[in-house]
Structure formats: structure tokens, C-alpha cells
């Protein structure tokens, strides 16, 4: 995929990035009530054109292990551990800090209330650094997804997150977000989804904090069980404590094939 830098850490032109992602998920039922899963993920992020010589490429490995215990036929309680290692390329006269994270979580998955499904993890992320002398840091981790089937045609989804992100050179960002999405299934082929999102990026050790507000709408088309097409437009406004305010209007087209 090709994307724009999500938080505009450079000034001026938009920053173009090529992302390559390989991931997997394996779940094994140990007994009727106990299961374990393993989810590896590899990401390669490369800056292109004018930024390939001034911003460092990076690759990241994430290994996640989770255990499940069935409280009832409808939902499980979970416990997990994840290891995340990021390798940031060095540039002339600039050595990046390579963050290494360990995350512990507990959570719940399944139908926790009538018509409400959840995939919620809360926990703790500890971050250390390779290649630079810097104290370890920690943050409360949150990864949550709640969906309410309000009517047969309308569903409401709330997604919450909080974790470490990184600047282009590896400096830590405490990033928190909340997204509210409403999906209306017009018929078997079409769906419309307006959404609202709020994001806060707090740059650790500095005075910069960015508050991002987004509003938009998406349209989905599914001609059969194997194909999905989508179009989305949203407006984004970034309010920074530094002189880095900006706004964007973004259009996206997506297509997916399942077999």
C-alpha cells in the first residue's frame, strides 16, 4: 500500500510511504474451554521520492500470544503477551533509536451483552531502546472494539486505542484514539457508514501535542460473498501546540477478494 504520513512530522509537502505487510493468525482449541492463538506480523515502511534520503526506512516485527478461557458459550476471557521490535535505518549524521516493546494484557471477547459484541484488551506496554541511551518508558495499553446491533439494518461500532507510536527517527509518541462508526445496510449489496474520529498524539519528552479530528462517510458494495468494494471521503483537521497545524481532505478507494 501507499499512504501519507499519518502525523505530519515534516513541514511542507505530504510525505509518501510504501508499506509492505505480512501477517498471520493461528488459533488452536486445547480443550472445549481453553484455546491459544499466535499472531505474527511483519511490516516494512519505506519513504519514497524526495523523502527517501532524509527520513529513515524501518521494519517491525510483532509477535502476539494469547490464551482464551470460555466463561460461557458466548464469550471468553483472555490474557496475552506481545513482543514488538522496530529497526530504524541510520542516516548520515543521524542515528535513530530502535524501540523494543513488551506488552501484557487481559481482556474479553464475544457477545458480552445481548446484541453487543466486544474484543477488548487492557494492559501495560513497557518500552526500551536500542542504539541510544534513553530511560525505559511505559504506558497504559488499550485496544477495544465494541459493536451494537441496534436494528437488523443498523450497527454502531466504537473503537478505542492507546499505545506507543514513534516519530520518523524513533522518538516515542503516546497515541490515543476513539472512533465512532454507524453502518446502515441499505440492502444486500450496499452499505453506508458515517464516522467520527478523535486522535491525540503526545510527543514524549517534548512540548508538542497534536489533536486530530476527523469526520467522513464510507460506501460499501458487496456483489457476492467473495468481492468487496469501498469508497470513503473524510475531512481531517490537525491542531498542534507547535506551528504545525494542517487540514486534509482524503479520498480512498478499496477492493478486496476472498477465497
Amino acid at each position: 500500500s501507499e499512504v501519507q504520513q499519518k502525523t505530519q512530522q515534516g513541514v511542507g509537502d505530504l510525505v509518501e510511504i510504501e508499506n509492505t505487510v505480512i501477517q498471520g493468525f493461528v488459533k488452536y482449541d486445547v480443550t472445549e474451554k481453553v484455546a491459544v492463538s499466535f499472531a505474527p506480523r511483519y511490516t516494512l515502511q519505506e519513504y519514497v521520492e524526495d523523502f527517501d534520503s532524509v527520513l529513515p526506512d524501518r521494519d517491525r516485527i510483532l509477535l502476539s500470544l494469547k490464551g482464551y478461557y470460555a466463561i460461557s458459550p458466548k464469550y471468553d476471557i483472555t490474557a496475552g503477551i506481545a513482543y514488538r521490535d522496530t529497526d530504524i535505518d541510520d542516516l548520515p549524521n543521524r542515528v535513530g533509536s530502535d524501540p523494543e516493546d513488551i506488552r501484557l494484557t487481559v481482556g474479553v471477547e464475544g457477545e458480552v451483552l445481548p446484541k453487543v459484541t466486544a474484543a477488548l484488551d487492557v494492559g501495560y506496554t513497557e518500552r526500551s531502546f536500542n542504539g541510544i541511551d534513553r530511560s525505559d518508558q511505559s504506558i497504559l495499553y488499550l485496544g477495544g472494539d465494541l459493536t451494537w446491533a441496534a436494528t437488523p439494518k443498523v450497527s454502531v461500532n466504537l473503537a478505542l486505542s492507546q499505545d506507543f507510536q514513534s516519530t520518523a527517527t524513533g522518538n516515542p509518541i503516546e497515541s490515543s484514539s476513539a472512533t465512532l462508526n454507524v453502518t446502515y445496510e441499505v440492502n444486500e449489496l450496499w452499505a453506508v457508514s458515517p464516522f467520527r474520529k478523535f486522535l491525540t498524539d503526545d510527543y514524549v519528552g517534548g512540548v508538542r501535542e497534536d489533536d486530530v479530528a476527523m469526520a467522513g462517510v464510507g460506501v460499501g458494495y458487496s456483489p457476492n460473498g467473495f468481492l468487496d468494494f469501498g469508497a470513503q471521503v473524510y475531512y481531517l483537521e490537525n491542531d498542534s501546540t507547535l506551528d504545525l497545524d494542517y487540514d486534509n481532505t482524503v479520498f480512498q478507494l478499496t477492493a478486496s477478494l476472498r477465497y
Side-chain angles (χ1 to χ4, degrees):
S1 63
E2 291 187 338
V3 298
Q4 174 208 336
Q5 184 105 345
K6 293 181 180 178
T7 53
Q8 202 140 329
Q9 295 150 9
V11 178
D13 295 334
L14 299 180
V15 180
E16 185 180 354
I17 305 168
E18 290 183 352
N19 279 331
T20 303
V21 179
I22 302 172
Q23 61 184 355
F25 180 83
V26 178
K27 188 175 181 181
Y28 177 71
D29 293 327
V30 181
T31 69
E32 290 185 356
K33 287 184 172 291
V34 178
V36 294
S37 69
F38 176 63
R41 177 183 174 97
Y42 171 77
T43 304
L44 174 63
Q45 175 179 294
E46 298 175 292
Y47 292 93
V48 297
E49 296 190 2
D50 296 338
F51 294 94
D52 61 352
S53 60
V54 295
L55 293 174
D57 297 339
R58 69 180 66 187
D59 58 80
R60 175 180 295 158
I61 295 174
L62 173 64
L63 303 175
S64 301
L65 184 67
K66 182 179 284 189
Y68 307 78
Y69 182 77
I71 293 294
S72 80
K74 291 187 175 182
Y75 71 93
D76 302 337
I77 58 171
T78 67
I81 182 171
Y83 170 78
R84 180 173 57 192
D85 180 71
T86 304
D87 181 24
I88 300 173
D89 291 351
D90 296 334
L91 294 176
N93 302 318
R94 181 189 292 177
V95 178
S97 57
D98 296 336
E100 187 177 70
D101 301 327
I102 295 290
R103 184 171 72 226
L104 299 174
T105 59
V106 294
V108 61
E109 291 188 15
E111 186 177 352
V112 293
L113 294 171
K115 297 185 178 182
V116 177
T117 58
L120 177 65
D121 288 308
V122 295
Y124 179 84
T125 301
E126 180 80 15
R127 169 164 287 191
S128 58
F129 299 90
N130 297 317
I132 193 170
D133 186 14
R134 172 173 284 174
S135 301
D136 293 351
Q137 296 169 345
S138 60
I139 189 175
L140 174 68
Y141 173 83
L142 175 62
D145 190 281
L146 299 170
T147 300
W148 173 42
T151 73
K153 286 183 171 291
V154 177
S155 63
V156 181
N157 177 264
L158 176 64
L160 304 170
S161 71
Q162 179 169 285
D163 198 10
F164 281 122
Q165 301 294 336
S166 299
T167 67
T169 55
N171 294 323
I173 301 172
E174 294 183 355
S175 184
S176 306
S177 72
T179 305
L180 182 65
N181 185 90
V182 179
T183 299
Y184 172 64
E185 295 183 3
V186 180
N187 53 43
E188 293 181 355
L189 299 177
W190 293 92
V192 179
S193 301
F195 70 92
R196 196 82 163 92
K197 180 176 182 178
F198 298 94
L199 170 71
T200 296
D201 281 341
D202 185 3
Y203 290 67
V204 178
V207 297
R208 179 179 177 182
E209 181 176 298
D210 287 8
D211 294 317
V212 180
M214 300 167 56
V217 62
V219 177
Y221 174 65
S222 302
N224 54 53
F226 303 100
L227 285 171
D228 288 298
F229 300 98
Q232 186 181 77
V233 58
Y234 63 88
Y235 174 74
L236 178 153
E237 189 173 80
N238 185 89
D239 181 19
S240 178
T241 53
L242 302 183
D243 188 20
L244 293 170
D245 294 352
Y246 65 92
D247 58 84
N248 287 336
T249 301
V250 181
F251 300 89
Q252 292 181 331
L253 296 174
T254 60
S256 65
L257 169 65
R258 294 188 299 273
Y259 177 74

